[in-house]
Amino acid sequence: MNDIRIGLALGGGAVRGAAHIGVLDVLDRAGLEPAVITGTSAGALVGALYAAGRTPSEIAKLAQALRWAKLIRPARTRKALFETAKLAAFLDNAVGGLTFDKLERTFAAVACDLTTGREVVMREGSVGSAVLASAAIPGVFPPVDRDGHLLVDGGLVNMVPAALARELGADIVVAVDVSGPLPRRPPTTLLHIMVAVSTLQPGGTDTLADDADLVLCPDVDEYAFWELSRIPEFEEAGRAATERALPLLHALVAAAAARQTWQNP
């Protein structure tokens, strides 16, 4: 079974993306560490940290210490509500200033080209700038100029990049969709409204069912996308969803291993 490459596609969902930490924690403890990771927006951030060698517990500590006031400040231009120089520096530092070729695991992040509306898959250059581009919610954060593309939040084109994980060599693909329904608490500010709008394109249950072998949908709808104080609850939702799915995932790995043995006696 050790030759079976598990791919993990982590979807966007703003702060709800903390559920991905719980997913990774359970997979690590079960000996099912993903070899391939793809991510969009918040999923790109968590995926990049894991691919860079951070453990789930280290990622959790980093997430729980987040304070927006220290990372963003009102923009002085008309491109967005906030400027992201400090956020960019934080992201680059969090992944150790690595480029994609220096990561411990295969990783790709997804963004949207603002001038063409097309999906852009990032697999080269600075990991930190790729994460910043993948999470650049239009209107909230400014677009990121990267490799000749003006990039914004990948959730506009591919909320959960499951097919991409398969393309990158995963034998089994687990997709994690944290977009969920709109929060029970309605947004009350312009910022909250814009963050909520950025998640209106759900992962797409039908598409994910075709692209992934297993789709996890952590129960994250009770709390809003922007509530940093709820990060522990989101993490726990990710753990619970993954623990319920472990028997199936073990079976999928066993079946893939048997198929591999039969095809390559």
Side-chain angles (χ1 to χ4, degrees):
M1 291 188 188
N2 292 335
D3 294 331
I4 300 304
R5 287 167 59 83
I6 296 175
L8 188 63
L10 303 177
V15 181
R16 286 179 175 178
H20 298 319
I21 303 170
V23 173
L24 285 167
D25 184 43
V26 173
L27 292 180
D28 269 19
R29 292 175 186 276
L32 298 170
E33 301 92 339
V36 176
I37 306 169
T38 58
T40 294
S41 197
L45 171 56
V46 176
L49 291 170
Y50 187 75
R54 296 263 193 168
T55 66
S57 61
E58 289 173 338
I59 300 173
K61 290 179 181 178
L62 193 64
Q64 291 171 19
L66 286 176
R67 297 294 182 271
W68 290 127
K70 295 182 179 180
L71 297 176
I72 58 177
R73 62 182 182 184
R76 296 180 180 180
T77 71
R78 297 182 180 181
K79 292 182 178 180
L81 291 176
F82 301 100
E83 66 92 14
T84 53
K86 289 185 178 180
L87 179 59
F90 165 80
L91 292 174
D92 194 54
N93 181 67
V95 297
L98 296 178
T99 52
F100 278 82
D101 59 315
K102 301 298 183 181
L103 293 173
E104 295 184 7
R105 294 175 172 85
T106 299
F107 172 68
V110 171
C112 173
D113 188 316
L114 187 59
T115 60
T116 66
R118 295 178 180 175
E119 178 180 344
V120 174
V121 175
M122 296 169 286
R123 293 203 61 209
E124 297 179 343
S126 165
V127 176
S129 75
V131 172
L132 185 66
S134 183
I137 300 172
V140 178
F141 303 130
V144 175
D145 192 348
R146 193 176 191 276
D147 299 329
H149 297 277
L150 196 61
L151 302 177
V152 292
D153 197 304
L156 296 173
V157 288
N158 194 346
M159 186 66 81
V160 188
L164 178 58
R166 187 92 62 190
E167 292 172 16
L168 295 182
D171 299 301
I172 295 171
V173 176
V174 178
V176 187
D177 184 4
V178 295
S179 56
L182 290 174
R184 298 175 190 177
R185 296 188 184 94
T188 57
T189 69
L190 175 60
L191 174 60
H192 294 168
I193 291 170
M194 295 177 77
V195 172
V197 167
S198 73
T199 64
L200 285 180
Q201 180 190 336
T205 303
D206 294 339
T207 301
L208 285 180
D210 293 335
D211 294 339
D213 300 286
L214 175 63
V215 179
L216 302 180
C217 297
D219 184 12
V220 294
D221 67 314
E222 182 174 356
Y223 304 115
F225 300 104
W226 48 83
E227 293 186 78
L228 287 174
S229 62
R230 300 299 183 178
I231 282 178
E233 284 93 336
F234 293 144
E235 290 179 18
E236 186 54 40
R239 287 191 191 91
T242 311
E243 287 171 351
R244 288 194 300 270
L246 274 181
L248 177 54
L249 183 53
H250 278 295
L252 288 169
V253 172
R259 187 181 305 110
Q260 189 178 82
T261 300
W262 177 72
Q263 292 174 337
N264 303 287

